[in-house]
Amino acid sequence: MSLNKKEIVQLGQLARLHIAPQDEAPLTEALNNILDLANQLTQENTSGVTPLTHPLALIEKISLRLREDIVTEDNQRENNQACAPAIENNLFLVPKVIE
């Protein structure tokens, strides 16, 4: 998969990022390099590779200390939503990006 400059600009708009025209070419090259690397990784044969141990597998053997479930901070909703462009029923309103 390869991205062109037009698709990079469209991705920037979806992410609400301003991509300067002089940054389009280097960004396109960098993202295409990342996609090429991901494509190379998916092509590798890993059928004989033993899976690595997952750190969470040790949880069964280790007893974790649990903290008391109490509120430790004040409600900051008004402060957090003060700079929001749109709010309804105490929720942030965002533009629809998936059609």
Side-chain angles (χ1 to χ4, degrees):
M1 176 179 193
S2 181
L3 298 173
N4 59 36
K5 289 182 185 180
K6 181 181 176 185
E7 292 170 325
I8 295 295
V9 171
Q10 184 180 14
L11 284 172
Q13 289 172 344
L14 289 172
R16 302 292 190 249
L17 299 173
H18 171 70
I19 300 173
Q22 67 269 20
D23 294 334
E24 291 173 8
L27 186 58
T28 301
E29 182 180 350
L31 288 175
N32 281 327
N33 288 340
I34 292 169
L35 291 174
D36 288 342
L37 177 61
N39 189 34
Q40 288 176 13
L41 290 174
T42 60
Q43 308 258 334
E44 289 297 320
N45 180 8
T46 59
S47 59
V49 178
T50 306
L52 296 174
T53 264
H54 194 281
L56 295 181
L58 298 175
I59 288 181
E60 296 173 1
K61 300 175 186 176
I62 298 173
S63 175
L64 298 177
R65 289 179 284 155
L66 300 178
R67 65 175 172 81
E68 192 175 340
D69 190 15
I70 57 171
V71 177
T72 58
E73 295 186 20
D74 295 333
N75 184 354
Q76 297 289 321
R77 178 180 290 144
E78 289 82 18
N79 293 340
N80 294 335
Q81 292 181 339
C83 61
I87 298 170
E88 184 178 299
N89 296 329
N90 291 323
L91 301 173
F92 291 97
L93 295 180
V94 296
K96 182 177 179 180
V97 293
I98 299 175
E99 297 178 20

